[in-house]
Amino acid sequence: MAERHPTNYGGLILRGQTWHIRTQIKGVMIAESTHTGIRRDAERILAKKKAELIEEVVLGNKKPIKLHDAIDLFVKSRKHLTSAQNCEIHIRYFKMLPNLTLDKITDHQLEDVVFKKREEGYKESTLKVSVTYFNAMLKYCTEKGYTTRKKMTPIKHDSGKVRWLTKEELARFLAALDPALGVDVVTIAQKQENFDLVRLLLDSAGRLTEISQMKWNQVDFNAGTVFMKRNKGSIDGTIGMTNTMREIFTRRRAMEFGDYVFGSKVGKSNNKWVAAAVKRAALNEDQGSVSLHTLRHTRAVHLLQAGMGLLEVKEYLGHKSIQSTMVYAHVIKSEVMSKAARLIDAD
């Protein structure tokens, strides 16, 4: 009979200066390093590992896993695939959430990630892929025996359309944000802040981060211009300051003494007031959700309807490629057909 290894203590084997676990329960083996040379510490680690294995194998319970660990594990499992980099880019958005176990992540927290990315200007098609990867990660972890949560609701997206507001819808939306609706000084100030943000987003056709992180050195009162520092790979550029923009900048300059036009908005992502305003304005979202990014689409469409060319709108939006602006081409087609009908009727 083989002699017992002199350094084997109830499932622990000393290799060099480090204790390793070698034990099994119900045929399931634990074989890993404790990463310590202190036997008492190694024994505590062994006891913990055995308790987890008993709970999983004997009692039939699954293993808990934290969100960030689950994401890293899933990304690592796809390293050999051509889509590995794309997967990592999309799923890392969810690392902004607290590192709780997967079963403790709430629907509200996941929806907040999607909401924030949407407000930053990410397209619905991009968000759809992100949600798909997250659900694939949940499936992978379930197959590995970890305790997970239910899958996210897939995003349904018609890539051929963009949601924009008609002039009548826009008027209702702005009315729902009227600062005069505030019931006290604090509420009025908050509503004014939100109203100013919306009007600047609309007049500049900017993305949320481009306006909420705008600094005063981008605003030139003398020249009547605003330097738009674009994100998402768009082209920076200077636009003219509208009367509404000047009025807002002038009022805010008297209140904001820091570097930012919206000091209170920097680094903040809670824009639930938008959804409340959409509801008060009774805007129909059957053809697409209404968010702050909808204002960018709205300004682009209104400029085209007013007669501005597609290339001119491309420059105003800061698009690098005309292909990005072509999403509004259906508006031009509709206007051309309407104009043709009017000309024929007048002939």
CSV table of all heavy atoms in Angstrom, one decimal, residues 22-59:
chain,number,residue,atom,x,y,z
A,22,ARG,N,-6.6,19.4,-2.8
A,22,ARG,CA,-6.9,18.2,-3.6
A,22,ARG,C,-7.9,17.3,-2.8
A,22,ARG,O,-7.5,16.5,-1.9
A,22,ARG,CB,-5.6,17.4,-3.8
A,22,ARG,CG,-4.6,18.0,-4.8
A,22,ARG,CD,-5.2,18.1,-6.2
A,22,ARG,NE,-4.2,18.6,-7.2
A,22,ARG,CZ,-4.0,19.9,-7.4
A,22,ARG,NH1,-4.7,20.8,-6.7
A,22,ARG,NH2,-3.1,20.3,-8.2
A,23,THR,N,-9.2,17.6,-3.1
A,23,THR,CA,-10.2,16.8,-2.4
A,23,THR,C,-11.4,16.7,-3.4
A,23,THR,O,-11.5,17.4,-4.4
A,23,THR,CB,-10.6,17.5,-1.1
A,23,THR,OG1,-11.5,16.6,-0.4
A,23,THR,CG2,-11.3,18.8,-1.4
A,24,GLN,N,-12.3,15.8,-3.0
A,24,GLN,CA,-13.5,15.6,-3.8
A,24,GLN,C,-14.7,15.3,-3.0
A,24,GLN,O,-14.6,14.7,-1.9
A,24,GLN,CB,-13.3,14.6,-4.9
A,24,GLN,CG,-13.1,13.2,-4.5
A,24,GLN,CD,-13.0,12.2,-5.6
A,24,GLN,OE1,-13.5,12.4,-6.7
A,24,GLN,NE2,-12.3,11.1,-5.4
A,25,ILE,N,-15.9,15.7,-3.5
A,25,ILE,CA,-17.2,15.5,-2.8
A,25,ILE,C,-18.2,15.0,-3.9
A,25,ILE,O,-18.4,15.7,-4.9
A,25,ILE,CB,-17.7,16.7,-2.1
A,25,ILE,CG1,-16.8,17.2,-1.0
A,25,ILE,CG2,-19.1,16.5,-1.6
A,25,ILE,CD1,-17.2,18.5,-0.4
A,26,LYS,N,-18.7,13.8,-3.7
A,26,LYS,CA,-19.7,13.2,-4.6
A,26,LYS,C,-19.1,13.1,-6.0
A,26,LYS,O,-19.8,13.4,-7.0
A,26,LYS,CB,-21.0,14.0,-4.6
A,26,LYS,CG,-21.8,14.0,-3.4
A,26,LYS,CD,-22.5,12.6,-3.2
A,26,LYS,CE,-23.4,12.6,-2.0
A,26,LYS,NZ,-24.2,11.4,-1.9
A,27,GLY,N,-17.8,12.8,-6.1
A,27,GLY,CA,-17.1,12.7,-7.4
A,27,GLY,C,-16.7,14.0,-8.0
A,27,GLY,O,-16.1,14.0,-9.1
A,28,VAL,N,-17.0,15.1,-7.4
A,28,VAL,CA,-16.5,16.4,-7.9
A,28,VAL,C,-15.3,16.8,-7.3
A,28,VAL,O,-15.2,16.9,-6.0
A,28,VAL,CB,-17.6,17.5,-7.7
A,28,VAL,CG1,-17.2,18.8,-8.3
A,28,VAL,CG2,-18.9,17.1,-8.4
A,29,MET,N,-14.2,17.0,-8.1
A,29,MET,CA,-12.9,17.3,-7.5
A,29,MET,C,-12.6,18.8,-7.4
A,29,MET,O,-13.0,19.6,-8.2
A,29,MET,CB,-11.8,16.7,-8.5
A,29,MET,CG,-10.4,17.1,-8.1
A,29,MET,SD,-9.8,16.4,-6.6
A,29,MET,CE,-9.6,14.6,-7.1
A,30,ILE,N,-12.0,19.2,-6.3
A,30,ILE,CA,-11.4,20.6,-6.1
A,30,ILE,C,-9.9,20.4,-6.3
A,30,ILE,O,-9.3,19.7,-5.5
A,30,ILE,CB,-11.7,21.2,-4.8
A,30,ILE,CG1,-13.2,21.2,-4.5
A,30,ILE,CG2,-11.2,22.6,-4.7
A,30,ILE,CD1,-13.6,21.7,-3.1
A,31,ALA,N,-9.3,21.1,-7.2
A,31,ALA,CA,-7.9,21.0,-7.4
A,31,ALA,C,-7.4,22.4,-7.8
A,31,ALA,O,-7.5,22.8,-8.9
A,31,ALA,CB,-7.5,20.0,-8.6
A,32,GLU,N,-6.9,23.1,-6.8
A,32,GLU,CA,-6.4,24.5,-7.0
A,32,GLU,C,-5.5,24.9,-5.9
A,32,GLU,O,-5.4,24.3,-4.8
A,32,GLU,CB,-7.6,25.4,-7.1
A,32,GLU,CG,-8.5,25.5,-5.9
A,32,GLU,CD,-9.7,26.3,-6.1
A,32,GLU,OE1,-10.7,25.9,-6.7
A,32,GLU,OE2,-9.7,27.5,-5.6
A,33,SER,N,-4.8,26.0,-6.2
A,33,SER,CA,-3.8,26.5,-5.2
A,33,SER,C,-4.5,27.4,-4.2
A,33,SER,O,-5.5,28.1,-4.5
A,33,SER,CB,-2.7,27.3,-5.9
A,33,SER,OG,-1.9,28.0,-5.0
A,34,THR,N,-4.1,27.4,-2.9
A,34,THR,CA,-4.6,28.3,-1.9
A,34,THR,C,-3.8,29.6,-1.9
A,34,THR,O,-4.3,30.6,-1.3
A,34,THR,CB,-4.5,27.7,-0.5
A,34,THR,OG1,-3.1,27.5,-0.2
A,34,THR,CG2,-5.2,26.3,-0.4
A,35,HIS,N,-2.7,29.6,-2.7
A,35,HIS,CA,-1.9,30.8,-2.8
A,35,HIS,C,-1.3,31.3,-1.4
A,35,HIS,O,-1.1,32.5,-1.2
A,35,HIS,CB,-2.6,32.0,-3.5
A,35,HIS,CG,-3.1,31.6,-4.8
A,35,HIS,ND1,-2.3,31.5,-5.9
A,35,HIS,CD2,-4.4,31.4,-5.2
A,35,HIS,CE1,-3.1,31.2,-7.0
A,35,HIS,NE2,-4.3,31.1,-6.6
A,36,THR,N,-1.1,30.3,-0.5
A,36,THR,CA,-0.6,30.7,0.8
A,36,THR,C,0.3,29.5,1.3
A,36,THR,O,0.1,28.4,1.0
A,36,THR,CB,-1.7,30.9,1.8
A,36,THR,OG1,-1.0,31.3,3.1
A,36,THR,CG2,-2.5,29.7,2.1
A,37,GLY,N,1.3,29.9,2.0
A,37,GLY,CA,2.2,28.9,2.6
A,37,GLY,C,1.9,28.6,4.1
A,37,GLY,O,2.6,27.8,4.7
A,38,ILE,N,0.9,29.3,4.6
A,38,ILE,CA,0.5,29.2,6.0
A,38,ILE,C,-0.6,28.1,6.1
A,38,ILE,O,-1.7,28.3,5.5
A,38,ILE,CB,0.1,30.5,6.6
A,38,ILE,CG1,1.2,31.6,6.5
A,38,ILE,CG2,-0.4,30.3,8.0
A,38,ILE,CD1,0.8,32.9,6.9
A,39,ARG,N,-0.3,27.0,6.8
A,39,ARG,CA,-1.3,25.9,6.8
A,39,ARG,C,-2.6,26.3,7.4
A,39,ARG,O,-3.7,25.9,6.9
A,39,ARG,CB,-0.7,24.7,7.6
A,39,ARG,CG,-1.4,23.4,7.3
A,39,ARG,CD,-0.8,22.3,8.0
A,39,ARG,NE,-1.5,22.1,9.3
A,39,ARG,CZ,-1.1,21.2,10.2
A,39,ARG,NH1,0.1,20.5,10.0
A,39,ARG,NH2,-1.7,21.1,11.3
A,40,ARG,N,-2.7,27.1,8.5
A,40,ARG,CA,-4.0,27.4,9.1
A,40,ARG,C,-4.8,28.2,8.1
A,40,ARG,O,-6.0,28.0,8.0
A,40,ARG,CB,-3.7,28.3,10.3
A,40,ARG,CG,-3.2,27.4,11.5
A,40,ARG,CD,-3.2,28.2,12.8
A,40,ARG,NE,-2.8,27.4,13.9
A,40,ARG,CZ,-2.8,27.8,15.2
A,40,ARG,NH1,-3.1,29.1,15.5
A,40,ARG,NH2,-2.4,27.0,16.2
A,41,ASP,N,-4.2,29.1,7.3
A,41,ASP,CA,-4.9,29.9,6.3
A,41,ASP,C,-5.4,29.0,5.2
A,41,ASP,O,-6.6,29.1,4.7
A,41,ASP,CB,-4.0,31.0,5.7
A,41,ASP,CG,-3.8,32.1,6.7
A,41,ASP,OD1,-4.5,32.2,7.8
A,41,ASP,OD2,-2.8,32.9,6.5
A,42,ALA,N,-4.6,28.0,4.8
A,42,ALA,CA,-4.9,27.1,3.8
A,42,ALA,C,-6.1,26.2,4.2
A,42,ALA,O,-7.0,25.9,3.5
A,42,ALA,CB,-3.7,26.2,3.4
A,43,GLU,N,-6.1,25.8,5.5
A,43,GLU,CA,-7.2,25.0,6.0
A,43,GLU,C,-8.5,25.8,6.0
A,43,GLU,O,-9.6,25.2,5.8
A,43,GLU,CB,-6.9,24.6,7.5
A,43,GLU,CG,-5.8,23.5,7.5
A,43,GLU,CD,-5.3,23.2,8.9
A,43,GLU,OE1,-5.6,24.0,9.8
A,43,GLU,OE2,-4.7,22.1,9.1
A,44,ARG,N,-8.5,27.1,6.3
A,44,ARG,CA,-9.7,27.9,6.3
A,44,ARG,C,-10.2,28.0,4.9
A,44,ARG,O,-11.4,27.9,4.6
A,44,ARG,CB,-9.4,29.3,6.9
A,44,ARG,CG,-9.4,29.3,8.4
A,44,ARG,CD,-9.4,30.7,8.9
A,44,ARG,NE,-8.2,31.4,8.7
A,44,ARG,CZ,-7.2,31.5,9.6
A,44,ARG,NH1,-7.3,30.8,10.8
A,44,ARG,NH2,-6.1,32.1,9.4
A,45,ILE,N,-9.3,28.2,3.9
A,45,ILE,CA,-9.7,28.3,2.5
A,45,ILE,C,-10.3,26.9,2.0
A,45,ILE,O,-11.3,26.9,1.3
A,45,ILE,CB,-8.5,28.6,1.6
A,45,ILE,CG1,-8.0,30.0,1.9
A,45,ILE,CG2,-8.8,28.5,0.1
A,45,ILE,CD1,-6.7,30.4,1.3
A,46,LEU,N,-9.7,25.8,2.5
A,46,LEU,CA,-10.2,24.5,2.1
A,46,LEU,C,-11.6,24.3,2.7
A,46,LEU,O,-12.5,23.8,2.0
A,46,LEU,CB,-9.3,23.4,2.7
A,46,LEU,CG,-9.8,22.0,2.6
A,46,LEU,CD1,-10.0,21.6,1.1
A,46,LEU,CD2,-8.8,21.0,3.3
A,47,ALA,N,-11.8,24.7,3.9
A,47,ALA,CA,-13.2,24.6,4.5
A,47,ALA,C,-14.2,25.4,3.8
A,47,ALA,O,-15.3,24.9,3.6
A,47,ALA,CB,-13.1,25.0,6.0
A,48,LYS,N,-13.8,26.6,3.4
A,48,LYS,CA,-14.8,27.4,2.6
A,48,LYS,C,-15.1,26.8,1.2
A,48,LYS,O,-16.3,26.7,0.8
A,48,LYS,CB,-14.2,28.8,2.4
A,48,LYS,CG,-15.1,29.8,1.7
A,48,LYS,CD,-14.4,31.1,1.6
A,48,LYS,CE,-15.3,32.2,1.0
A,48,LYS,NZ,-15.5,31.9,-0.5
A,49,LYS,N,-14.1,26.3,0.6
A,49,LYS,CA,-14.3,25.6,-0.7
A,49,LYS,C,-15.2,24.4,-0.6
A,49,LYS,O,-16.0,24.1,-1.5
A,49,LYS,CB,-13.0,25.3,-1.4
A,49,LYS,CG,-12.1,26.5,-1.8
A,49,LYS,CD,-12.7,27.2,-3.0
A,49,LYS,CE,-11.8,28.4,-3.4
A,49,LYS,NZ,-12.4,29.1,-4.5
A,50,LYS,N,-14.9,23.6,0.4
A,50,LYS,CA,-15.7,22.4,0.6
A,50,LYS,C,-17.2,22.7,0.9
A,50,LYS,O,-18.1,22.1,0.5
A,50,LYS,CB,-15.1,21.5,1.8
A,50,LYS,CG,-13.8,20.9,1.4
A,50,LYS,CD,-13.2,20.2,2.6
A,50,LYS,CE,-13.9,18.9,2.9
A,50,LYS,NZ,-13.2,18.1,4.0
A,51,ALA,N,-17.4,23.8,1.7
A,51,ALA,CA,-18.8,24.2,2.1
A,51,ALA,C,-19.5,24.6,0.8
A,51,ALA,O,-20.7,24.3,0.6
A,51,ALA,CB,-18.7,25.3,3.1
A,52,GLU,N,-18.8,25.4,-0.1
A,52,GLU,CA,-19.4,25.8,-1.3
A,52,GLU,C,-19.8,24.7,-2.2
A,52,GLU,O,-20.8,24.6,-2.8
A,52,GLU,CB,-18.5,26.8,-2.1
A,52,GLU,CG,-18.3,28.1,-1.4
A,52,GLU,CD,-17.3,29.0,-2.0
A,52,GLU,OE1,-16.5,28.5,-2.9
A,52,GLU,OE2,-17.2,30.2,-1.7
A,53,LEU,N,-18.9,23.7,-2.2
A,53,LEU,CA,-19.1,22.5,-3.1
A,53,LEU,C,-20.2,21.6,-2.6
A,53,LEU,O,-21.0,21.1,-3.3
A,53,LEU,CB,-17.8,21.7,-3.2
A,53,LEU,CG,-17.8,20.5,-4.2
A,53,LEU,CD1,-18.1,21.1,-5.6
A,53,LEU,CD2,-16.5,19.7,-4.2
A,54,ILE,N,-20.3,21.5,-1.2
A,54,ILE,CA,-21.4,20.8,-0.6
A,54,ILE,C,-22.8,21.4,-1.0
A,54,ILE,O,-23.7,20.8,-1.3
A,54,ILE,CB,-21.3,20.7,0.9
A,54,ILE,CG1,-20.1,19.7,1.2
A,54,ILE,CG2,-22.5,20.2,1.6
A,54,ILE,CD1,-19.7,19.7,2.7
A,55,GLU,N,-22.8,22.8,-0.9
A,55,GLU,CA,-24.0,23.5,-1.2
A,55,GLU,C,-24.4,23.3,-2.6
A,55,GLU,O,-25.6,23.2,-3.0
A,55,GLU,CB,-23.9,25.0,-0.9
A,55,GLU,CG,-25.1,25.8,-1.0
A,55,GLU,CD,-25.0,27.2,-0.5
A,55,GLU,OE1,-23.9,27.6,0.0
A,55,GLU,OE2,-26.0,27.9,-0.6
A,56,GLU,N,-23.4,23.3,-3.5
A,56,GLU,CA,-23.7,23.2,-4.9
A,56,GLU,C,-24.1,21.8,-5.3
A,56,GLU,O,-25.1,21.5,-6.0
A,56,GLU,CB,-22.5,23.6,-5.7
A,56,GLU,CG,-22.7,23.5,-7.2
A,56,GLU,CD,-21.4,23.7,-8.0
A,56,GLU,OE1,-20.3,24.1,-7.3
A,56,GLU,OE2,-21.4,23.6,-9.2
A,57,VAL,N,-23.3,20.8,-4.9
A,57,VAL,CA,-23.4,19.4,-5.4
A,57,VAL,C,-24.4,18.6,-4.5
A,57,VAL,O,-25.3,18.0,-5.1
A,57,VAL,CB,-22.1,18.7,-5.4
A,57,VAL,CG1,-22.2,17.2,-5.8
A,57,VAL,CG2,-21.1,19.4,-6.3
A,58,VAL,N,-24.3,18.7,-3.2
A,58,VAL,CA,-25.1,17.9,-2.4
A,58,VAL,C,-26.5,18.5,-2.2
A,58,VAL,O,-27.5,17.8,-2.3
A,58,VAL,CB,-24.5,17.7,-1.0
A,58,VAL,CG1,-25.4,16.9,-0.1
A,58,VAL,CG2,-23.1,17.0,-1.1
A,59,LEU,N,-26.6,19.8,-2.0
A,59,LEU,CA,-27.9,20.4,-1.8
A,59,LEU,C,-28.5,20.9,-3.1
A,59,LEU,O,-29.7,21.3,-3.1
A,59,LEU,CB,-27.7,21.6,-0.8
A,59,LEU,CG,-27.1,21.3,0.6
A,59,LEU,CD1,-27.0,22.5,1.4
A,59,LEU,CD2,-27.9,20.2,1.3
